[in-house]
Amino acid sequence: MFTNKEEFITDYTQRMVETYGRSVEASHATERFLVLGEMIRDYASVNWKHTKEMVAKHQNRQMFYFSMEFLIGRLLTNNLMNLGIYDIVKEGLQDMNIDLNELEEMESDAGLGNGGLGRLAACFLDSLSSLGLPGGGNCIRYQYGLFKQKIVNGRQVEVPDLWLKYGNPWEIRKPKHAVDVKFWGRIEMSRRADGHMQVRHVDAETVRAVPYDMPIVGHGTKVTNSLRLWSAEAAEDIDEKDFKQYIQEVNEICQNVYPDDSTEHGKFLRLKQEYFFVSAGIQAIIKSHLRVYPSLDNFHEKVCIQMNDTHPILVIPEMMRILLDEYDYSWEDAWYIVTHTVAYTNHTVMQEALERWPIANVQKLLPRIYMLIEEINARFVREVNEKYHDSNLANRVAILREGQVHMANLGIVAAYSVNGVAALHTEILKNDVMKDFYQIFPEKFNNKTNGVTHRRWLVYSNPQLRELLNETIGDSYINHPEDLERLIAHVDDRELQEKFFQVKKQRKEILAAYIKKTLDIDVDTNSIFDVQAKRLHAYKRQLLNVMHIIYLYQQIKSNPDFTMHPRTFFFAAKAAPAYVFAKSVIQLIHAVAAKVNNDPQVNRFMKVVFIPNYSVSVAEILMNAADVSEQISTAGKEASGTGNMKFMLNGAITLGTYDGANVEIHGLVGEENDVIFGLRVEDIQALRKEGYNAWTYYTCDCRIQDVLNSLIDGTWHEDPLTFKIIYDELLYRNDEYMLLADFDAYVTAQQRIEAKYRNREEWLRSCLYNIGKAGFFSTDRTIQNYCDDIWHLEPIEFE
């Protein structure tokens, strides 16, 4: 390993010759990036090797995080910083006339996720390593990610995300650890002479799962864990007559995150993806365990598997299959091991997001797995009936009912821990969504409020703020985020407030330059930067934001005396390809932007900017430039949210509802340092019970009438029917997420934001106060909570 700039230059020059047969001066930018990436990976590999050896030697208990997404973003800067070699590398490259920032821009965001679920998983791995704890991640090596979003004539268009076009310098292919995963076919059973059942899966379609490992480098520690990504390849024995179809089916397993499941083919593909990475991951973990221990009797003592939402729930029957069919465990012993190994994190209260698969699909695609689910269900329902003598309760909690396999139910039945991800969310699970299960298993339920890795989202992505914090409170917060609290003692310092104002101004200028370069839109950095950046979904209520912008537009056009502080409204969001309503909202945002931005009477007060193809890299320049953090989901619908925490960490003021982690942010900073508005969960429940009527709000509020009428009168599109789907959703489908009920409160909240911003000293004090309280939302705290209460891991000791 290089230890100084000179050694780095020598090593880099030699690597370039050995890899590409050319000098550094003659090399291409992609070659320079790939050589650097592989050098840093190899640098980390020394600690990676030692970590594995120490875990085996000391027989540490490990946690494996199974998730359909790991939205890890770019890794070059993160790895250089965590390894403590950023300055050496930057200076060495400068001596070779290479700009490190240009190489950083060469790296693609890894296409391994969609939104908050995947970014949370990535933050968890970062903190796990940084806290010195043993474990890793399991996921699919998606070839094209979710999709790359383009905007054509104001509409979202999906094209492949070619994130692997230059290769991935961080990964290492591990064919020796490949395993077979079987689909379709049928099950034959017979009893062996020793009394055990012999189970044979015949006429199956076998897919080879090949792992690609990526090092997860901790900050300030030698611990380097692994993210294992599984790639589908053809198995060796293939029926030649079906070769083309087989290859097509193999290839599509790893093509995209969340393929469209609105078709029967899509449903089978989603289910196939979930079983593919679960089966491969479990097989690999079991083989790894047996390389250290003589049997699986102590598997649950040495391994914890955290299932991130319902996508990996098939971990449960797959573990049962392996223990029963391959290692001859009795049902009781196998069930004991499984139920003391797996833990389940729920991320949603939305019924449509609690996965349910048609029984017929599971039977066909995964015949043995279905048999085991059926047995688990039968035993559980029998236990509930025997204990509670309540057939209705037993039916409500059944895993198999109404022709479907209820994955969340399976997870709760088998997991030894079931956690929500924010205090409010967990209470909703216990008192509403999973009320019956809480009655049966109260000891399983607990809360683990989400977090974000503050090193990426502040220390690395906002160097201007980092330097200001270091100057004011020292740098201990980098490893101890709770030390951000020391800033509270300085929030009234006028000099510090002005320094923070300049930091924010610099970040706004960086974002403005990006907007100009990519979208050719000029934005006023003296305006309030009001940002809503998250997946496009009706319950997240980007539409409420747009309705307010339309209201402001109408006020400016109709009232010559109207005035406001200049505001730039930023949106960044992807809509699922088959989600027609969400894509219509994106089209509306662009239609409003086109009119607002090109009207001199209006654009002196406000502009609207939609940033396409939202990603981790975009977030890293967007969130630290924000003045206002829009967190306006319908109360009770957002499990937690983590964008709210990233904005807070960079000194944005939360404009939010009583939902998710907004409630905990509000509890920490107080009403003088955020703006919370609108209906609470209990208000919504009461409204629904009384009979919510969207038309009442429409007829009683002329502002709402004007806004909604503009959707269908040709104001925003020459074809007045273009946005009728939105109009109908709010009125004729009765406004499911209660935008109209919250509209007046939202307008008032926006006015409060502006009033606060006009009082510069008050505003800057609130920004600093938010940063000082943001340490609670570091994933270092979250991971330690999981470790103390669920995983029970010990830090790795190095010799």
Side-chain angles (χ1 to χ4, degrees):
M1 298 193 301
F2 56 86
T3 58
N4 55 49
K5 180 179 69 172
E6 290 71 28
E7 289 177 359
F8 168 75
I9 292 172
T10 300
D11 194 2
Y12 189 83
T13 302
Q14 185 65 24
R15 289 277 193 122
M16 185 65 70
V17 173
E18 292 172 349
T19 306
Y20 293 106
R22 61 177 62 210
S23 66
V24 172
E25 295 79 7
S27 62
H28 188 267
T30 56
E31 296 167 338
R32 295 176 179 183
F33 162 68
L34 290 172
V35 166
L36 179 60
E38 289 168 5
M39 277 182 66
I40 305 311
R41 182 199 67 201
D42 293 348
Y43 189 102
S45 292
V46 176
N47 287 338
W48 204 6
K49 167 182 173 288
H50 290 163
T51 299
K52 295 171 187 175
E53 291 174 344
M54 290 303 101
V55 169
K57 181 174 182 178
H58 297 295
Q59 299 187 351
N60 290 80
R61 175 175 166 86
Q62 299 179 77
M63 185 283 301
F64 295 96
Y65 201 77
F66 277 63
S67 177
M68 281 291 281
E69 303 182 41
F70 281 91
L71 207 58
I72 56 178
R74 296 170 174 172
L75 292 177
L76 180 55
T77 302
N78 192 78
N79 286 344
L80 289 172
M81 290 284 195
N82 279 0
L83 288 166
I85 57 174
Y86 186 90
D87 291 338
I88 290 176
V89 169
K90 184 175 183 179
E91 292 170 10
L93 290 172
Q94 282 177 341
D95 285 2
M96 293 182 281
N97 296 314
I98 299 173
D99 184 348
L100 175 57
N101 292 332
E102 290 183 4
L103 300 190
E104 290 170 331
E105 290 300 313
M106 291 295 303
E107 185 174 9
S108 297
D109 279 57
L112 300 174
N114 174 31
L117 185 80
R119 185 53 232 169
L120 179 78
C123 286
F124 273 18
L125 291 191
D126 178 273
S127 285
L128 191 74
S129 290
S130 296
L131 292 174
L133 299 170
N138 259 273
C139 189
I140 292 175
R141 184 179 182 266
Y142 300 105
Q143 188 174 1
Y144 301 117
L146 182 68
F147 58 82
K148 181 178 180 180
Q149 181 192 52
K150 289 189 173 183
I151 303 299
V152 179
N153 296 325
R155 296 172 180 265
Q156 172 179 295
V157 175
E158 304 90 23
V159 299
D161 175 12
L162 303 175
W163 74 280
L164 288 168
K165 61 183 176 182
Y166 298 137
N168 179 8
W170 310 112
E171 68 185 14
I172 298 177
R173 187 172 186 267
K174 298 284 189 72
K176 69 176 182 178
H177 294 312
V179 297
D180 287 339
V181 180
K182 294 184 177 182
F183 303 98
W184 311 105
R186 68 184 192 280
I187 303 301
E188 293 181 352
M189 305 179 73
S190 59
R191 193 168 296 279
R192 299 198 313 249
D194 62 4
H196 288 285
M197 293 299 299
Q198 179 174 336
V199 179
R200 295 191 306 130
H201 193 163
V202 299
D203 297 332
E205 176 185 276
T206 302
V207 176
R208 194 71 168 157
V210 180
Y212 288 71
D213 286 357
M214 297 173 65
I216 303 299
V217 178
H219 180 271
T221 174
K222 292 181 180 180
V223 172
T224 303
N225 289 314
S226 301
L227 170 59
R228 173 157 286 184
L229 306 174
W230 292 97
S231 181
E233 298 184 9
E236 293 187 7
D237 298 323
I238 305 171
D239 187 343
E240 292 186 5
K241 67 180 181 181
D242 297 324
F243 176 76
K244 288 185 178 180
Q245 179 181 345
Y246 169 77
I247 293 299
Q248 180 180 337
E249 291 184 6
V250 169
N251 289 341
E252 68 181 358
I253 291 174
C254 298
Q255 281 186 348
N256 294 101
V257 188
Y258 303 133
D260 178 14
D261 62 354
S262 62
T263 66
E264 194 69 8
H265 176 76
K267 287 184 174 66
F268 276 112
L269 180 55
R270 285 276 283 267
L271 184 59
K272 184 180 279 191
Q273 283 187 331
E274 293 182 6
Y275 182 67
F276 170 77
F277 95 95
V278 157
S279 176
I282 293 298
Q283 290 184 63
I285 293 168
I286 285 175
K287 289 181 180 179
S288 176
H289 180 87
L290 292 174
R291 287 195 290 271
V292 179
Y293 305 99
S295 76
L296 296 174
D297 292 354
N298 68 338
F299 187 78
H300 58 288
E301 297 171 2
K302 298 300 179 181
V303 172
C304 168
I305 293 173
Q306 189 71 40
M307 301 177 294
N308 193 29
D309 219 356
T310 53
H311 313 117
I313 293 295
L314 291 173
V315 160
I316 295 158
E318 176 63 5
M319 277 189 68
M320 289 296 292
R321 181 192 70 79
I322 294 172
L323 292 170
L324 292 170
D325 299 353
E326 298 183 15
Y327 293 95
D328 293 338
Y329 278 84
S330 68
W331 181 276
E332 290 73 20
D333 289 343
W335 187 244
Y336 182 88
I337 292 172
V338 170
T339 56
H340 287 76
T341 299
V342 301
Y344 164 47
T345 299
N346 173 276
H347 283 278
T348 184
V349 299
M350 305 284 286
Q351 284 297 325
E352 63 266 30
L354 294 171
E355 283 189 309
R356 298 181 294 271
W357 295 111
I359 285 175
N361 290 22
V362 183
Q363 283 177 315
K364 292 176 186 176
L365 185 66
L366 308 170
R368 179 56 175 155
I369 293 301
Y370 177 74
M371 292 171 65
L372 296 169
I373 293 173
E374 195 171 45
E375 182 65 19
I376 293 169
N377 178 69
R379 289 173 180 246
F380 174 61
V381 169
R382 184 164 61 248
E383 289 173 9
V384 173
N385 274 320
E386 290 173 355
K387 183 174 181 179
Y388 296 96
H389 306 288
D390 185 342
S391 59
N392 289 328
L393 173 64
N395 180 63
R396 291 195 303 271
V397 298
I399 298 163
L400 302 177
R401 63 185 175 90
E402 299 170 346
Q404 295 179 313
V405 181
H406 292 249
M407 305 302 281
N409 293 13
L410 176 56
I412 299 168
V413 169
Y416 69 85
S417 168
V418 178
N419 73 277
V421 292
L424 175 62
H425 170 235
T426 301
E427 289 307 304
I428 292 172
L429 294 181
K430 293 193 294 187
N431 299 320
D432 183 8
V433 178
M434 296 175 177
K435 182 179 180 180
D436 290 327
F437 282 107
Y438 183 58
Q439 175 188 345
I440 298 169
F441 302 120
E443 73 285 355
K444 291 188 178 187
F445 284 79
N446 61 95
N447 177 61
K448 298 291 173 283
T449 296
N450 281 343
V452 300
T453 175
H454 66 289
R455 284 172 288 273
R456 177 183 280 268
W457 293 105
L458 188 163
V459 179
Y460 303 159
S461 63
N462 195 345
Q464 295 83 1
L465 181 55
R466 178 187 72 220
E467 291 173 11
L468 180 60
L469 290 173
N470 291 355
E471 172 189 315
T472 307
I473 61 172
D475 64 1
S476 64
Y477 69 91
I478 297 175
N479 286 322
H480 302 282
E482 64 274 12
D483 287 352
L484 284 169
E485 185 85 20
R486 295 174 182 173
L487 190 63
I488 300 300
H490 303 274
V491 298
D492 293 309
D493 183 332
R494 294 296 302 276
E495 183 180 352
L496 177 62
Q497 290 174 2
E498 289 306 312
K499 286 181 178 179
F500 174 75
F501 180 82
Q502 293 305 318
V503 164
K504 183 65 75 171
K505 186 71 180 296
Q506 289 179 59
R507 296 310 311 184
K508 292 167 83 169
E509 289 168 352
I510 290 169
L511 176 60
Y514 174 82
I515 297 301
K516 179 64 175 176
K517 179 181 177 181
T518 58
L519 300 175
D520 196 26
I521 298 174
D522 294 302
V523 296
D524 178 7
T525 56
N526 293 313
S527 66
I528 300 173
F529 277 22
D530 183 313
V531 182
Q532 188 173 16
K534 53 184 74 248
R535 177 171 59 93
L536 205 308
H537 194 286
Y539 84 83
K540 295 178 183 287
R541 302 203 297 191
Q542 285 92 344
L543 180 57
L544 180 60
N545 193 342
V546 181
M547 288 172 60
H548 174 249
I549 295 170
I550 294 174
Y551 161 72
L552 290 177
Y553 171 85
Q554 292 173 336
Q555 288 294 300
I556 295 168
K557 298 298 287 185
S558 63
N559 182 358
D561 297 324
F562 179 85
T563 188
M564 60 181 280
H565 191 283
R567 184 90 67 109
T568 304
F569 294 96
F570 292 92
F571 293 88
K574 289 182 177 180
Y579 195 175
V580 177
F581 172 81
K583 294 174 82 168
S584 296
V585 172
I586 289 177
Q587 187 180 2
L588 177 62
I589 293 170
H590 282 88
V592 172
K595 184 150 289 195
V596 165
N597 297 350
N598 292 292
D599 186 331
Q601 183 185 356
V602 178
N603 64 25
R604 64 194 180 101
F605 290 116
M606 66 177 182
K607 281 192 175 180
V608 180
V609 177
F610 186 97
I611 303 176
N613 203 41
Y614 186 47
S615 64
V616 174
S617 296
V618 170
E620 286 173 335
I621 61 170
L622 176 63
M623 289 179 163
N624 49 39
D627 294 309
V628 179
S629 163
E630 295 265 4
Q631 310 296 330
I632 58 176
S633 52
T634 308
K637 295 300 182 183
E638 185 75 85
S640 168
T642 52
N644 45 10
M645 303 168 190
K646 296 162 194 165
F647 284 112
M648 177 190 187
L649 194 60
N650 285 279
I653 304 303
T654 302
L655 170 59
T657 50
Y658 293 94
D659 197 26
N662 296 349
V663 176
E664 286 160 273
I665 290 174
H666 184 61
L668 285 170
V669 304
E671 62 183 12
E672 66 273 18
N673 296 304
D674 64 8
V675 176
I676 304 297
F677 73 93
L679 300 171
R680 299 172 186 250
V681 171
E682 55 269 29
D683 299 325
I684 289 173
Q685 291 171 341
L687 268 178
R688 294 201 190 284
K689 188 174 181 180
E690 293 168 8
Y692 179 70
N693 188 345
W695 285 98
T696 300
Y697 294 91
Y698 175 82
T699 55
C700 294
D701 191 329
C702 61
R703 299 168 302 175
I704 292 176
Q705 289 180 33
D706 291 343
V707 169
L708 297 194
N709 289 346
S710 76
L711 298 178
I712 57 172
D713 67 6
T715 299
W716 307 112
H717 197 282
E718 58 187 12
D719 181 357
L721 297 180
T722 298
F723 300 117
K724 193 169 187 303
I725 182 176
I726 297 174
Y727 180 89
D728 289 349
E729 188 70 31
L730 293 175
L731 292 176
Y732 292 103
R733 294 186 178 86
N734 204 33
D735 184 21
E736 180 180 359
Y737 297 108
M738 297 192 174
L739 283 72
L740 304 190
D742 268 344
F743 180 79
D744 179 66
Y746 183 52
V747 171
T748 302
Q750 288 282 15
Q751 292 167 349
R752 287 172 58 199
I753 282 285
E754 179 165 332
K756 281 179 70 70
Y757 192 84
R758 288 181 182 274
N759 185 334
R760 182 159 164 161
E761 182 179 351
E762 178 190 352
W763 181 267
L764 294 173
R765 183 189 186 280
S766 289
C767 293
L768 292 169
Y769 199 90
N770 271 268
I771 297 170
K773 290 294 184 179
F776 175 79
F777 294 109
S778 168
T779 41
D780 287 7
R781 187 270 313 156
T782 309
I783 290 297
Q784 194 61 55
N785 288 165
Y786 273 93
C787 185
D788 293 343
D789 299 340
I790 301 175
W791 302 337
H792 308 298
L793 308 177
E794 294 294 333
I796 300 169
E797 295 182 6
F798 285 86
E799 298 173 353

